[in-house]
């Protein structure tokens, strides 16, 4: 009996793994006493249980924007924010380093990337792009399998009151290929807790071995399942809770090695748990979604939601309900965390989600314009207490959703017009051009989903060129790969095993405080002290610890102390050299320094033997360091100036700086105007010219929590934390009563800074672009580079002024007007590509484009006048007849065509072909055939005959054509033209 039940459960489990949909409908209650609790109470009960009964620390949910993890588009699991602990790279001075047992409710998004549920949302009763993950963790062996299983069983059965007979568990059955034994310890724990052996099932690595990625910490897991059938018939199991026991590390070669420290990582989806506790057959029937579904029905006047799926869902009404309800939750959470709809990466995924929601609401539910934004307050009402950032950013979320919805509807209307116009040019059996469909798509200009374009064409009975579309997609992917930023070469690194060995040996974290040991001389120059240190560890390029390294060997050095700044917080690493004490004439170049779990690893090349225990002296590259200090202080001033100019809602999203330039990403409602860019620069310049002192001090992290105006990022800060304040002593800046942080730049920052702002010299914003709706990236330079940029801007401004004056004076002929137009085009390119103030670039480009339009208008007027004059000359030269074939001087093909057109207007029954000799033997050709001479005589064939004679090409229509060629015998070309025309007339 047990075997048959286990086999049935195995089949069910695998089916659930592929598509974890609820198996209803069934009218049996999913759980008994206590009565159904609200989702907010279920969430609170989880957190309170682990805090009050088992001493867990409650930590806030991380942002859905991954913190320093390029492998993720979005945070998709509760463990993401704790990766530094699992990998051993957590800063030992940070608050996180002290975590032992914690619990939280984490906001998660699974859309795009490895975990992508986007296209499944709406099709069934369980998939979501946004969900909440309840989790508890134990780090460094604080507790392990027995405690984790006991706590989970206690919570589910005693606190939530789920009947024990409806719970099943699974454990890891081992993997002989990997040399892993079955996890019998976990099996025995469940049996000791009273779970019958018939409901304790074993599975292999696909089901019960969890891995962070292709490499990294991993381990066996045990899962708790709920039986929807309630003992009637075959079990219908859905997973409730996954408990992962991190014991191993997956190496780059695929092998498994034991972790230095073991951890517990658990995760339980709130939505599914609430469905069980509220006796619902779908997560969409819970109070997490019912307010939204009600609001959707009220706003669209649609039929009520009935929870149908598949063929039963006629018209896909219930599918649309689920799509809209899920997607507006995802949009609201992402926007509140600073992810806005855009054109690449996570913003592009969010843009697709928004447009998918608009499509379903508009096409199926017949929602009015602006409907989607009206749902944001409902999301805030249901989730705002748990995640206050939704309440703080409610207005911004609504505005962004409304704006993007309006933009999409405008694009949709324009797309329909383009499709209709294109269809009018196609024959009955022609396929719709792939190029036009691509330009309409999300990857092209209008941002319409391709499946929507296909649907619009299907409705009109037209087939799309799918082969051409696939080719365009491949070309776009190849272009994107070429345009992608080059991946930086991975430097030497301490992996989890090396870090664990250092901790086991009791090696203290590197003392990096000497990096702040520098001073300002009376003459304004900086003095950087040297630092003496001892070599504690040496590593080869593959990370192997060695006792010594030889001549020419690239290696990693771990010292007891250092004055090198290791790359972090957006500031580039120091570079420089070290020497052995007593042997100062042999330099060991240091290319970079990296921080690995509190240890600073120096990447160097050994010109001679170096061994553990050697005493060394470190020297930073002074010019490199000083340039980084100037850029970092300038970044703080720029961040402050943006808030002064745009308002306190302007938040930094990220930054990076090196000696050459700085980059700052900030939240903005719209693109900055030239006036705002200039105002920001002026604010920074004022602070620089005042040469304000820069104060830096380490303070307890708790002192910074309630300071109005203090700038910080979504990062893990050490405790104590370093505060950088411009113009105001740190103690005064941190006094909440002083309001100083609202008046000047005060930030949490571990970087190296100038001691006075004057050394910044100058700051020029040389570029700005919107990364996504609501996020702007600024590029800036400082010092002498900034001065040179200003000078270049002034020079170009003078050239634009001169071009304006020349255009105002008018041109005597077409040649002069063309030269002026060409000069304006050259100026446009120069202004567009030069390193100069961005505000000035935008102003000059606007002026130049206006001048270009005026120049083109002047050229057209001169060409028309010139054509009229030449037309009269030709009419006087030729008596009226059916044919004019001649040569005429013309500066361009455009003028030649105008002469031909005017001749035919004044002599409608005459067919005209004109040749115009140019430099280097080139000849221009234009012709027009009289209406009465067609259809046997066509302009395109006439021009082709003449241009082919000259070794050239021609193009046009049956009425008018043009072309080019090369010849020194114009008479022969004219003879060919006359002969062809006479043969056709």
């Amino acid at each position: 009996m047990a075997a048959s039940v286990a086999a049935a459960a195995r089949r069910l489990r695998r089916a659930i793994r592929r598509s974890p949909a609820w198996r209803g409908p069934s009218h049996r209650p999913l759980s008994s006493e206590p009565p159904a609790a609200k989702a907010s109470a279920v969430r609170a009960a989880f957190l309170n249980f682990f805090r009050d009964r088992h001493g867990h620390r409650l930590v806030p949910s991380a942002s859905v924007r991954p913190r320093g993890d390029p492998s993720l588009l979005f945070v998709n699991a509760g463990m993401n924010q704790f990766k530094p602990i699992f990998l051993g790279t957590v800063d030992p001075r940070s608050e996180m380093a002290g975590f032992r047992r914690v619990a939280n409710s984490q906001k998660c998004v699974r859309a795009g990337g490895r975990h992508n549920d986007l296209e499944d949302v709406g099709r069934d009763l369980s998939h979501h792009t946004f969900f909440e993950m309840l989790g508890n963790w134990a780090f460094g062996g604080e507790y392990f399998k027995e405690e984790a299983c006991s706590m989970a069983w206690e919570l589910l059965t005693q606190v939530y009151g789920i009947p024990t007979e409806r719970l099943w568990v699974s454990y890891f059955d081992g993997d002989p290929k990997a040399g892993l034994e079955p996890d019998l310890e976990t099996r025995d724990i469940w049996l000791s807790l009273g779970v019958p052996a018939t409901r304790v099932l074993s599975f292999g690595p696909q089901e019960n071995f969890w891995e962070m990625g292709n490499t990294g910490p991993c381990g066996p897991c045990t899962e708790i399942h709920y039986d929807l059938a309630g003992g009637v018939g075959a079990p219908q199991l859905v997973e409730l809770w996954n408990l992962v026991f991190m014991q191993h590390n997956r190496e780059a070669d695929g092998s498994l090695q034991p972790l230095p420290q073991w951890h517990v990582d658990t995760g339980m989806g709130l939505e599914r748990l609430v469905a069980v506790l509220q006796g619902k057959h779908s997560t969409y029937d819970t109070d997490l979604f019912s307010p939204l579904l009600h609001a959707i029905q009220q706003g669209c006047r649609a039929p009520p939601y009935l929870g149908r799926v598949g063929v039963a869902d006629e018209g896909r009404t219930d599918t649309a309900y689920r799509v809209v309800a899920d997607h507006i939750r995802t949009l609201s959470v992402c926007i509140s965390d600073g992810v806005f709809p855009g054109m690449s990466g996570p913003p592009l995924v969010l843009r697709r989600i928004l447009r998918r929601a608009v499509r379903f609401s508009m096409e199926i539910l017949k929602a009015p314009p602006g409907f989607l934004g009206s749902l944001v307050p409902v999301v805030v009402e249901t989730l705002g207490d748990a995640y206050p950032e939704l309440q703080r950013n409610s207005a911004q979320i609504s505005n962004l959703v409304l704006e993007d919805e309006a933009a999409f509807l405008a694009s949709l209307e324009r797309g329909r017009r383009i499709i209709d116009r294109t269809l009018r040019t196609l024959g009955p059996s022609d396929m719709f051009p792939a190029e036009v469909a691509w330009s309409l798509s999300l990857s092209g200009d209008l941002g319409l989903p391709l499946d929507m374009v296909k649907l619009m064409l299907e409705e009109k009975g037209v087939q799309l060129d799918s082969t051409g579309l696939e080719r365009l997609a491949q070309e776009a992917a190849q272009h994107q790969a070429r345009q992608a930023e080059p991946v930086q070469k991975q430097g030497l690194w301490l992996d989890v095993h090396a870090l664990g060995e250092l901790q086991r040996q009791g090696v203290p974290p590197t003392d990096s405080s000497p990096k702040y040991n520098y001073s300002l001389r009376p003459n304004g120059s900086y003095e950087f002290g040297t630092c003496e240190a001892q070599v504690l560890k040496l590593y080869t390029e593959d990370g192997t610890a060695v006792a010594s390294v030889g001549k020419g060997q690239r290696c990693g050095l771990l010292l007891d102390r250092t004055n090198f700044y290791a790359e972090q917080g957006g500031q580039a690493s120091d570079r420089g050299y070290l020497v052995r004490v007593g042997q100062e004439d042999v330099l060991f170049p240091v290319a970079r320094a990296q921080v690995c779990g509190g240890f600073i690893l120096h990447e160097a090349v050994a010109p001679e033997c170096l061994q553990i225990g050697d005493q060394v002296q470190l020297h930073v590259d002074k010019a490199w360091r000083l340039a980084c200090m100037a850029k970092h202080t300038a970044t703080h001033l720029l961040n402050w100036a943006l808030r002064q100019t745009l308002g306190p809602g302007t938040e930094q999203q990220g930054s990076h700086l090196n000696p050459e330039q700085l980059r700052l990403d900030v939240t903005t409602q719209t693109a900055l105007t030239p006036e705002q860019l200039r105002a920001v620069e002026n604010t920074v310049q004022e602070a620089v010219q005042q040469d304000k002192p820069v104060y830096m001090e380490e303070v307890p992290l708790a002192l910074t929590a309630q300071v109005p105006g203090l700038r910080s990022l979504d990062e893990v800060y050490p405790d104590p934390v370093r505060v950088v304040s411009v113009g105001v002593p740190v103690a005064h800046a941190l006094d909440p009563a002083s309001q100083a942080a609202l008046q000047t730049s005060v930030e949490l920052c571990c970087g190296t800074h100038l001691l006075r702002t004057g050394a910044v010299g100058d700051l020029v914003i040389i570029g700005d672009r919107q990364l996504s709706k609501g996020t702007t990236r600024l590029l800036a330079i400082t010092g002498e580079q900034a001065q040179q940029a200003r000078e270049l801007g002034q020079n170009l401004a003078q050239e634009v002024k001169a071009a304006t004056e020349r255009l105002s004076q008018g041109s005597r002929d077409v040649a002069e007007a063309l030269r002026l137009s060409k000069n304006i085009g050259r100026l446009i390119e120069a202004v567009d590509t030069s390193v100069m103030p961005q505000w000035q670039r935008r102003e000059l480009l606007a002026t130049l484009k206006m001048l270009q339009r005026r120049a083109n208008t002047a050229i057209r007027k001169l060409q028309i006048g010139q054509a009229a004059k030449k037309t009269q000359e030709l009419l006087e030269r030729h008596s009226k007849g059916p044919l004019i074939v001649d040569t005429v001087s013309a500066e361009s093909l455009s003028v030649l065509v105008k002469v031909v057109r005017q001749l035919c207007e004044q002599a409608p029954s005459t067919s005209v072909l004109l040749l115009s000799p140019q430099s280097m033997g080139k000849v221009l050709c234009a012709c027009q055939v009289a209406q009465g001479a067609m259809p046997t005589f066509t302009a395109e064939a006439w021009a082709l005959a003449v241009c082919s004679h000259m070794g050239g090409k021609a193009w046009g229509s049956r009425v008018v054509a043009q072309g080019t060629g090369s010849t020194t015998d114009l008479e022969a070309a004219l003879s060919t033209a006359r002969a062809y025309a006479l043969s056709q007339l």
Side-chain angles (χ1 to χ4, degrees):
M1 175 63 183
S4 63
V5 173
R10 186 189 298 268
R11 290 193 297 272
L12 287 166
R13 278 281 291 104
R14 284 174 177 163
I16 293 165
R17 273 290 188 195
R18 290 192 295 273
S19 180
W22 291 85
R23 293 292 187 179
S26 164
H27 299 291
R28 293 182 55 81
L30 297 188
S31 63
S32 55
E33 296 296 331
K38 290 185 177 181
S40 57
V42 174
R43 186 193 299 112
F46 180 93
L47 299 174
N48 294 341
F49 170 81
F50 280 102
R51 180 190 62 196
D52 300 339
R53 292 200 190 183
H54 296 286
H56 285 61
R57 177 176 186 166
L58 300 187
V59 297
S61 169
S63 164
V64 295
R65 283 193 313 149
R67 181 191 291 151
D69 189 347
S71 67
L72 295 174
L73 286 170
F74 299 98
V75 165
N76 57 24
M79 54 75 60
N80 290 160
Q81 69 169 309
F82 304 117
K83 270 189 178 183
I85 298 178
F86 299 137
L87 296 171
T89 59
V90 64
D91 186 336
R93 299 178 305 147
S94 68
E95 183 181 34
M96 185 181 287
F99 289 174
R100 290 297 174 264
R101 50 176 72 195
V102 300
N104 84 341
S105 176
Q106 173 63 48
K107 299 173 293 185
C108 298
V109 173
R110 289 188 178 173
R114 182 179 176 187
H115 300 285
N116 185 7
D117 291 341
L118 178 56
E119 295 304 321
D120 292 320
V121 169
R123 295 176 180 174
D124 58 29
L125 301 175
S126 62
H127 273 98
H128 305 291
T129 51
F130 164 75
F131 64 97
E132 298 178 68
M133 183 75 82
L134 303 172
N136 62 289
W137 291 265
F139 302 117
E142 174 70 12
Y143 60 77
F144 209 49
K145 296 179 181 180
E146 183 173 2
E147 296 90 336
C149 294
S150 299
M151 291 176 193
W153 193 254
E154 179 187 2
L155 176 64
L156 293 179
T157 61
Q158 296 181 27
V159 176
Y160 290 138
I162 298 176
T164 58
E165 63 270 16
R166 302 193 77 158
L167 296 176
W168 295 58
V169 296
S170 65
Y171 68 94
F172 180 51
D173 195 25
D175 184 3
K177 292 181 180 179
L180 296 174
E181 296 292 328
D183 186 9
L184 301 181
E185 179 187 358
T186 298
R187 180 201 64 182
D188 294 341
I189 291 169
W190 288 122
L191 293 174
S192 70
L193 288 170
V195 184
T198 54
R199 296 207 302 273
V200 180
L201 310 177
S202 62
F203 295 97
Q206 184 175 353
E207 293 88 357
N208 278 91
F209 193 88
W210 188 91
E211 305 207 35
M212 182 185 294
N214 295 329
T215 60
C218 54
C221 62
T222 181
E223 296 177 337
I224 306 174
H225 304 271
Y226 182 82
D227 181 10
L228 296 172
V232 178
Q236 296 181 22
L237 305 180
V238 291
E239 177 189 329
L240 273 188
W241 206 341
N242 188 9
L243 285 62
V244 181
F245 308 122
M246 292 195 182
Q247 305 172 224
H248 309 283
N249 191 74
R250 179 73 69 180
E251 305 296 320
D253 62 4
S255 64
L256 290 171
Q257 297 295 330
L259 278 173
Q261 292 186 318
W262 291 1
H263 314 286
V264 171
D265 164 25
T266 85
M268 175 165 54
L270 174 68
E271 290 78 7
R272 185 169 290 180
L273 174 64
V274 170
V276 166
L277 296 179
Q278 293 183 358
K280 305 297 184 182
H281 296 283
S282 164
T283 52
Y284 289 95
D285 292 333
T286 67
D287 66 331
L288 286 167
F289 286 91
S290 54
L292 274 170
L293 298 176
H294 177 72
I296 292 169
Q297 183 187 7
Q298 293 297 308
C300 300
R301 302 298 178 191
Y305 175 72
L306 298 176
R308 299 165 300 180
V309 295
V311 294
D313 184 17
E314 295 180 10
R316 299 202 297 168
T317 301
D318 290 348
T319 298
Y321 266 105
R322 290 188 289 269
V323 167
V324 174
D326 171 86
H327 288 7
I328 192 60
R329 280 166 38 105
T330 304
L331 288 163
S332 299
V333 168
C334 287
I335 293 172
S336 72
D337 278 347
V339 184
F340 308 116
M343 293 302 293
S344 63
L348 178 59
V349 176
L350 204 62
R351 187 176 186 229
R352 286 177 172 149
I353 290 172
L354 192 149
R355 298 195 165 199
R356 190 169 186 257
V358 174
R359 280 179 54 209
F360 275 88
S361 66
M362 180 188 64
E363 294 179 359
I364 298 175
L365 300 175
K366 309 303 179 186
F371 164 71
L372 207 58
S374 71
L375 297 177
V376 172
V378 185
V379 178
V380 175
E381 180 67 25
T382 55
L383 295 176
D385 288 340
Y387 308 110
E389 57 274 15
L390 283 165
Q391 296 172 337
R392 290 195 301 268
N393 300 306
S394 176
Q396 182 189 29
I397 298 167
S398 296
N399 290 337
L400 280 171
V401 170
L402 287 168
E403 288 175 16
D404 210 88
E405 180 183 357
F408 177 51
L409 293 176
S411 295
L412 189 61
E413 183 58 36
R414 187 179 168 201
R416 287 196 179 99
R417 292 198 300 269
I418 292 173
I419 287 174
D420 290 340
R421 186 168 66 244
T422 305
L423 292 178
R424 287 195 292 271
T425 67
L426 300 180
S429 60
D430 290 346
M431 288 193 294
F432 193 83
E435 290 77 10
V436 178
W438 186 259
S439 71
L440 297 173
S441 74
L442 276 165
S443 303
D445 302 324
L446 288 189
L448 305 182
L450 269 175
D451 58 348
M452 186 177 216
V453 176
K454 292 175 184 176
L455 185 64
M456 293 164 71
L457 293 175
E458 286 174 8
E459 290 171 352
K460 296 179 179 293
V462 180
Q463 186 179 357
L464 175 63
D465 178 10
S466 300
T467 303
L469 203 61
E470 290 177 6
R471 174 181 52 80
L472 290 172
Q474 291 175 354
E475 291 175 359
Q478 293 168 357
H479 176 73
Q480 188 174 5
R482 289 193 298 269
Q483 296 297 314
E485 293 184 8
V487 178
Q488 289 189 345
K489 183 179 178 181
Q490 176 65 50
L492 295 169
W493 188 252
L494 299 180
D495 64 17
V496 66
H497 301 297
L499 291 167
E501 182 63 17
L502 290 171
Q503 292 161 4
R504 188 187 66 80
Q505 295 177 5
V507 178
T510 309
D511 175 12
S512 62
S513 60
K515 66 176 177 276
Y516 299 125
N517 292 342
Y518 52 90
S519 59
L520 188 60
R521 296 191 180 110
N523 63 2
S525 64
Y526 279 81
E527 181 176 4
F528 297 93
T530 59
C531 173
E532 290 198 3
Q534 183 181 21
V535 178
L536 300 181
K537 293 288 181 181
L538 290 167
Y539 298 90
T540 60
E541 286 191 76
D542 63 3
T544 303
V546 293
S548 64
V549 292
K551 181 178 181 180
Q553 193 170 354
R554 183 167 167 258
C555 61
L557 291 85
L558 194 60
L559 312 173
D560 61 341
R561 60 201 308 265
T562 183
N563 60 347
F564 275 65
Y565 184 84
E567 182 162 358
Q568 57 185 320
Q571 179 176 329
S573 160
D574 276 338
R575 66 183 189 185
Y577 65 92
L578 61 85
V579 297
R580 276 192 301 234
V581 174
Q583 196 177 0
E584 283 75 12
D585 56 339
V586 180
L587 306 184
F588 291 73
V590 177
R592 63 192 297 193
Q594 297 186 80
V595 61
C596 309
F599 300 99
I600 308 295
L601 190 66
H602 303 73
E603 188 177 312
V605 176
E608 288 188 1
C609 177
L610 188 68
Q611 55 191 0
I612 292 176
D614 282 350
Q615 295 290 323
V616 296
Q617 191 177 71
L618 295 95
H619 301 258
V620 298
D621 183 325
K622 297 178 182 179
W624 179 281
R625 163 68 81 82
L626 186 58
C628 285
M629 288 162 53
K631 297 296 186 301
H632 207 150
T633 302
T635 301
H636 282 216
L637 292 174
L638 179 58
N639 189 15
W640 166 70
L642 284 162
R643 294 179 70 147
Q644 293 294 107
T645 304
L646 304 179
T650 307
E651 296 288 346
Q652 179 178 333
Q653 294 290 302
S655 67
H656 187 268
L657 64 97
N658 58 35
E660 297 301 318
Q661 68 175 23
L662 65 91
R663 184 191 77 210
L664 182 65
D665 298 341
V666 293
T667 57
T668 55
Q669 291 298 316
T670 59
L672 275 71
T673 65
E675 294 76 18
Q676 288 172 327
L677 288 168
R678 191 172 190 178
V680 169
E681 277 189 15
N682 290 340
T683 302
V684 174
Q685 278 185 301
E686 184 179 345
V688 171
Q689 290 167 0
Q690 291 173 354
D691 194 24
K692 294 182 176 182
V694 179
Y695 299 95
M696 290 163 277
E697 187 178 332
E698 283 194 348
V699 301
L701 187 61
L703 286 182
T704 68
Q706 304 298 326
V707 179
L710 179 72
R711 261 76 76 194
S712 62
L713 295 175
D714 180 28
E715 293 182 357
V716 177
Y717 288 99
D719 191 4
V721 65
R722 194 170 178 83
V723 178
V724 179
S725 174
V726 175
V728 178
V730 171
H732 181 58
L734 294 184
D735 182 356
S738 75
Q739 302 288 300
L742 294 171
Q743 309 301 323
T744 187
S745 170
V746 183
E747 297 193 26
L748 306 183
C749 181
C750 65
T752 58
H753 285 267
L754 298 172
L755 300 178
R756 300 194 74 89
T757 60
V760 171
D762 194 2
L763 179 137
V764 168
I765 299 170
I766 59 171
D768 76 315
R769 67 185 178 95
Q770 281 203 288
L771 298 179
S772 61
K773 186 73 175 176
T775 304
T776 297
R777 169 165 291 179
L778 301 176
L779 298 178
I781 53 179
T782 62
E784 187 176 343
Q785 288 177 301
Q787 288 295 329
Q788 292 171 352
R790 290 196 190 281
E791 291 172 8
L792 179 56
Q794 289 303 313
N795 292 339
L796 288 170
Q798 290 299 320
E799 290 193 50
V800 172
K801 182 180 178 182
T804 304
E805 292 172 353
R806 286 198 300 273
L807 186 62
S808 299
Q809 293 168 2
S811 301
R812 290 168 296 180
D813 52 38
V814 173
E816 183 180 344
L818 287 171
R819 284 195 299 273
L820 180 55
S821 177
K822 187 176 181 180
N823 182 52
I824 293 172
R826 179 192 63 79
L827 276 173
I828 288 175
E829 182 178 1
V831 170
D832 195 38
T833 58
S834 294
V835 178
M836 63 181 294
Q838 183 68 0
W839 65 265
Q840 193 173 33
R841 185 197 321 278
R842 302 235 307 253
E843 287 185 351
L844 293 182
L845 284 175
T847 300
L848 285 167
K849 288 174 182 176
M850 180 269 294
L851 293 179
Q852 188 79 76
R853 289 192 295 269
R854 286 176 54 192
N856 291 338
T857 300
I859 289 169
R860 283 194 296 272
K861 288 181 179 178
L862 288 168
Q863 287 177 339
I864 291 170
Q866 187 183 65
K869 181 179 178 182
K870 294 182 184 299
T871 298
Q872 290 304 313
E873 292 174 357
L874 286 167
L875 286 172
E876 291 171 5
R877 194 186 311 167
H878 293 272
S879 58
K880 289 189 177 181
L883 194 65
I884 296 178
V885 176
D886 207 339
T887 61
V888 65
S889 62
E891 285 80 2
S892 66
L893 200 53
S894 174
V895 172
L896 192 62
V897 170
K898 286 182 173 65
V899 175
V900 169
R901 287 185 181 278
Q902 289 191 19
L903 278 171
C904 291
E905 286 174 3
Q906 297 191 37
S909 60
T910 302
S911 298
V912 179
L913 184 143
L914 299 178
L915 300 178
S916 179
Q918 307 291 302
S919 61
M920 307 297 290
K922 183 179 178 181
V923 178
L924 306 178
C925 171
C927 64
Q928 182 169 332
V929 172
Q931 193 72 30
M934 294 186 291
T936 57
F937 186 23
T938 68
E940 187 176 22
W942 194 13
L944 183 62
V946 177
C947 292
S948 297
H949 172 82
M950 298 187 294
K953 58 183 179 179
W955 59 93
S957 66
R958 297 170 65 186
V959 179
V960 181
Q962 53 194 292
T964 61
S966 296
T967 184
T968 56
D969 190 353
L970 277 176
E971 283 302 321
L974 292 171
S975 297
T976 299
R978 293 190 191 97
Y980 181 86
L982 292 172
S983 70
Q984 300 296 312
L985 288 171

